Amino acid sequence: MARVFRSIFTLKRFRRQLANVDALPQLCVLGLVSGMITGALMVGFRTMLSLGASLYMPEGSPETFEQLTPWVRAGLPLLAVLLIGLWLGRLTPSGRKIGIAHVIERLTYHQGRFLRRNWFTQWWVGLVSVLGGLSAGREGPAIHLGAAAASGLGQYFRLPHNSLRVLVACGTAAGISASFNTPIAGVIFAMEVVMMEYTITGFMPVILASTVSGLIAQLAFGFEHAFQISDIALGSLANLPWIVVSALGIGLLAACFIQVARTATRLQRLSFGVRCALVGVLVGSAAWFYPQVQGIGYDTLGLTFSGHPAVDVLLAVAVGKLLLTAFTVACGIPVSIIGPILVAGGAAGALFGLLGNQLMPGMSASTTVHAMLGTAAMMGAILQAPLAALMALLELTHTPNMMLPGMLTVVVACLTSRQLTGSKGFFNSALSGSRHPLQHPLMQALSRVSVPAVMERNLVRTRRMITPAAAHKLLETNPVWLIIERSSQKKPLLALRGSALARWLIEHETPIRQGHRDYQRIDLMEIPGQRLELAPIGLQATLSEAFIALQDESLGALYVVHGRHLKQRRISGIITRGAVERYYQYSDRSLTAPRPKGRGFPIHGEQDIGT
């Protein structure tokens, strides 16, 4: 019985199942495991924050900067940028990349594979930036640590790259869920901002990961609401016009944030040490007068919801904290921005609420309503992620009756910011000015499947010169392809149809049987038949990787290799242009007339003869 079980549930079989687009049960298993791993990591990260804060922060909380003396809270950012600068200064520019933008970059250009050095850098910068009083959140570290850990699980077991993409989304959602008890917001953020697609195959594993991770965090810290807000409602539809005006104003602030953050290219003329010093001095100077600009600021946001902060504090948070966060990012210190922009958005919304009460006494909605709507509007406008912003508003405040005005506010703010800056999302715009590769529907579809799902496995390897007897032996298994090895390793492998060799043997059967001198050896490079020049591709690669590789006009197909060591690598199959084409093209032959064979996508090369 045990032997039968092992024969059914093998790692090799599991990998092969994951290569297909419909590997939902296998992906759900990975979602559960990645949720457990990420949940444990987030418990560790939050515990380290608490332990660090207990050393010098009042009440042992990383949010109580207001209770520190002005000298201490102004000096902390200088110490933080010194520690971060010493760590990042010895790294290459690529080694300094962390946070959400790094997660999207690795998913887009590296098939979801992460570097270990950046992962450790995220631990250090994430802890120091929050505990050191910079305007930073813990969402970025949660997402990076969770996504990289989940992806590391797939890399360790050498799973197909299409499953790594789902694992990255699982780690992203699980990180947010465990950090803030917002499992739905985590799922939506992972699909809307990171994956940028909505599929059943993607949703279910991500939901499982978010659920498991959130349960682990609740077991460790208990269930607690981020903000305690009593029942609150819009009151009257007459408030909607002023809410639209408020959303326009917050959209303008979001556009300002993006523009300041984009000044990084101008600041590159300064040395990294000078940029770090500038950040430390500016944050420290602001913190001397307004400590509310430091840290994540959720304590300040809670007071904003209750209507307690003074107008000058709201201005310092709405403008000062927002600009300090943008300037810190522009200077190359990779802090998390989501927490600070939520806090700044709440303060900006409260200011618009106060202004509305002055202009329309007794008619405008309360400052709490405007503050709540401001958090979602600012997040949605900067990230261009309206659904994630609405879910964050719902789960952080537990006020479902705010969804209707929230939707209106988020849409108006998103449109305002987008039209002013042309931004399609802060993190996506940070990668490149061109269209994001994951936004191409074809590339999305091809990324969901790995090459083992469509490759031709029936092949044999052979030398160029063979005897007729060896040729007959090669054809015993009816191979579709013959892989011809060349005399030099520098020359590419070639693929020849097995049917071409079989046809040649039939046509020359008589002279071969008679032992004619010219037919004692067969040159596979000389017999009639089209030979495809091959290039290698990994067994874990997706069809999108194969698609890109086949853009080379000199290539006819790819041979799929596997094995850890170069000398031990084996060829598992061949993938042709026709195999890729048949995956994403559909034609109902009962409704359409037969068409000539073609590639179906704009690449150049020889005519496809793939199966």
Side-chain angles (χ1 to χ4, degrees):
M1 185 68 182
R3 184 176 299 177
V4 173
F5 183 84
R6 286 196 300 269
S7 66
I8 296 175
F9 297 98
T10 62
L11 185 57
K12 183 178 180 180
R13 180 184 177 89
F14 189 68
R15 292 193 191 109
R16 187 167 178 175
Q17 291 170 333
L18 282 172
N20 295 291
V21 70
D22 57 348
L24 187 56
Q26 293 77 18
L27 291 173
C28 287
V29 171
L30 293 178
L32 285 171
V33 177
S34 60
M36 290 187 286
I37 294 173
T38 305
L41 280 175
M42 290 305 99
V43 169
F45 185 77
R46 292 175 62 176
T47 301
M48 293 178 71
L49 278 176
S50 299
L51 290 175
S54 65
L55 297 177
Y56 61 93
M57 294 290 286
E59 303 175 9
S61 170
E63 290 285 334
T64 53
F65 292 98
E66 295 85 351
Q67 300 181 34
L68 295 173
T69 63
W71 284 105
V72 174
R73 64 179 182 240
L76 278 175
L78 293 171
L79 178 61
V81 295
L82 175 62
L83 294 175
I84 293 173
L86 289 174
W87 183 282
L88 298 181
R90 61 187 181 86
L91 301 175
T92 61
S94 62
R96 299 173 186 171
K97 294 181 178 180
I98 58 175
I100 302 171
H102 179 64
V103 171
I104 298 174
E105 179 187 7
R106 300 305 298 186
L107 181 67
T108 306
Y109 302 111
H110 303 277
Q111 301 300 324
R113 292 168 294 180
F114 289 81
L115 299 175
R116 193 175 301 172
R117 62 179 181 181
N118 299 70
W119 193 71
F120 285 113
T121 297
Q122 180 65 87
W123 279 95
W124 177 255
V125 175
L127 291 169
V128 173
S129 60
V130 174
L131 294 174
L134 297 179
S135 181
R138 65 173 189 255
E139 299 84 2
I143 291 169
H144 184 180
L145 296 176
S151 174
L153 172 70
Q155 290 177 254
Y156 179 79
F157 289 107
R158 292 179 290 147
L159 301 182
H161 290 167
N162 64 318
S163 61
L164 291 188
R165 298 180 71 250
V166 178
L167 281 170
V168 169
C170 289
T172 298
I176 296 175
S177 176
S179 294
F180 304 101
N181 284 326
T182 54
I184 302 177
V187 171
I188 298 300
F189 185 92
M191 305 306 291
E192 187 175 31
V193 178
V194 178
M195 291 280 283
M196 287 185 291
E197 62 178 4
Y198 296 96
T199 62
I200 293 295
T201 306
F203 253 124
M204 288 191 180
V206 174
I207 291 172
L208 282 173
S210 184
T211 302
V212 172
S213 182
L215 288 174
I216 291 175
Q218 289 181 24
L219 288 174
F221 304 109
F223 182 80
E224 54 183 12
H225 294 303
F227 305 103
Q228 300 295 332
I229 301 177
S230 57
D231 258 355
I232 193 167
L234 181 62
S236 171
L237 294 180
N239 293 313
L240 290 180
W242 184 248
I243 285 176
V244 171
V245 173
S246 303
L248 287 169
I250 292 173
L252 292 173
L253 283 174
C256 182
F257 175 92
I258 294 172
Q259 291 296 342
V260 172
R262 284 179 176 174
T263 59
T265 53
R266 302 176 188 174
L267 293 170
Q268 293 300 323
R269 290 173 291 184
L270 302 174
S271 67
F272 183 65
V274 172
R275 283 179 275 148
C276 288
L278 281 174
V279 171
V281 169
L282 286 175
V283 176
S285 301
W288 179 280
F289 301 100
Y290 295 101
Q292 292 84 358
V293 302
Q294 293 183 284
I296 306 173
Y298 279 175
D299 58 336
T300 303
L301 185 57
L303 292 174
T304 303
F305 286 157
S306 64
H308 292 159
V311 174
D312 60 329
V313 173
L314 293 175
L315 281 170
V317 174
V319 180
K321 188 174 182 66
L322 195 69
L323 295 181
L324 284 174
T325 307
F327 185 74
T328 302
V329 173
C331 286
I333 300 179
V335 296
S336 175
I337 69 166
I338 296 180
I341 65 176
L342 283 172
V343 176
L351 285 171
F352 277 105
L354 291 173
L355 180 59
N357 286 328
Q358 292 294 321
L359 297 176
M360 300 173 290
M363 295 180 62
S364 177
S366 67
T367 56
T368 302
V369 169
H370 282 279
M372 292 167 59
L373 297 177
T375 59
M378 187 68 78
M379 178 179 173
I382 291 176
L383 305 184
Q384 289 297 306
L387 282 179
L390 287 169
M391 287 301 102
L393 172 64
L394 175 63
E395 291 192 294
L396 288 174
T397 63
H398 295 271
T399 52
N401 50 5
M402 296 303 296
M403 286 298 99
L404 178 62
M407 288 189 288
L408 177 63
T409 305
V410 167
V411 169
V412 172
C414 285
L415 285 174
T416 303
S417 175
R418 189 184 184 98
Q419 293 303 116
L420 288 177
T421 63
S423 172
K424 296 180 180 179
F426 176 79
F427 297 114
N428 295 336
S429 299
L431 295 180
S432 63
S434 60
R435 191 183 187 194
H436 197 281
L438 290 180
Q439 292 176 330
H440 291 270
L442 175 59
M443 297 305 288
Q444 284 183 337
L446 295 180
S447 295
R448 298 185 194 119
V449 183
S450 287
V451 293
V454 298
M455 71 182 183
E456 176 56 61
R457 301 172 183 271
N458 192 2
L459 55 86
V460 292
R461 298 177 66 171
T462 178
R463 293 172 296 176
R464 172 179 176 176
M465 304 297 295
I466 59 175
T467 63
H472 283 288
K473 189 173 182 180
L474 285 176
L475 296 176
E476 286 179 355
T477 58
N478 296 319
V480 176
W481 293 102
L482 303 176
I483 307 298
I484 304 173
E485 298 175 344
R486 312 291 291 279
S487 57
S488 172
Q489 291 185 352
K490 295 182 180 179
K491 296 180 180 180
L493 298 179
L494 298 177
L496 175 70
R497 283 280 191 177
S499 58
L501 177 59
R503 186 184 307 112
W504 188 90
L505 289 173
I506 293 172
E507 292 173 352
H508 300 84
E509 182 179 4
T510 301
I512 291 173
R513 188 185 307 112
Q514 294 174 353
H516 197 284
R517 182 176 179 180
D518 293 338
Y519 295 91
Q520 291 179 357
R521 295 185 68 83
I522 304 171
D523 187 351
L524 295 180
M525 295 293 290
E526 296 298 331
I527 67 174
Q530 192 170 11
R531 276 155 284 273
L532 303 180
E533 186 172 309
L534 304 178
I537 191 170
L539 185 67
Q540 299 166 277
T542 62
L543 289 190
S544 62
E545 294 177 84
F547 180 92
I548 293 171
L550 287 170
Q551 303 295 316
D552 187 344
E553 61 182 16
S554 65
L555 293 179
L558 304 169
Y559 65 93
V560 183
V561 295
H562 69 282
R564 290 181 179 269
H565 305 291
L566 184 62
K567 294 182 179 180
Q568 299 176 352
R569 286 189 172 180
R570 299 181 298 277
I571 297 179
S572 300
I574 282 183
I575 183 166
T576 63
R577 290 186 172 94
V580 179
E581 174 186 346
R582 279 187 301 278
Y583 172 74
Y584 71 81
Q585 280 194 343
Y586 172 78
S587 61
D588 189 341
R589 295 187 180 182
S590 65
L591 300 177
T592 58
R595 60 182 179 84
K597 281 190 176 181
R599 293 176 192 149
F601 53 92
I603 56 179
H604 304 286
E606 300 175 351
Q607 184 178 356
D608 176 44
I609 62 170
T611 57

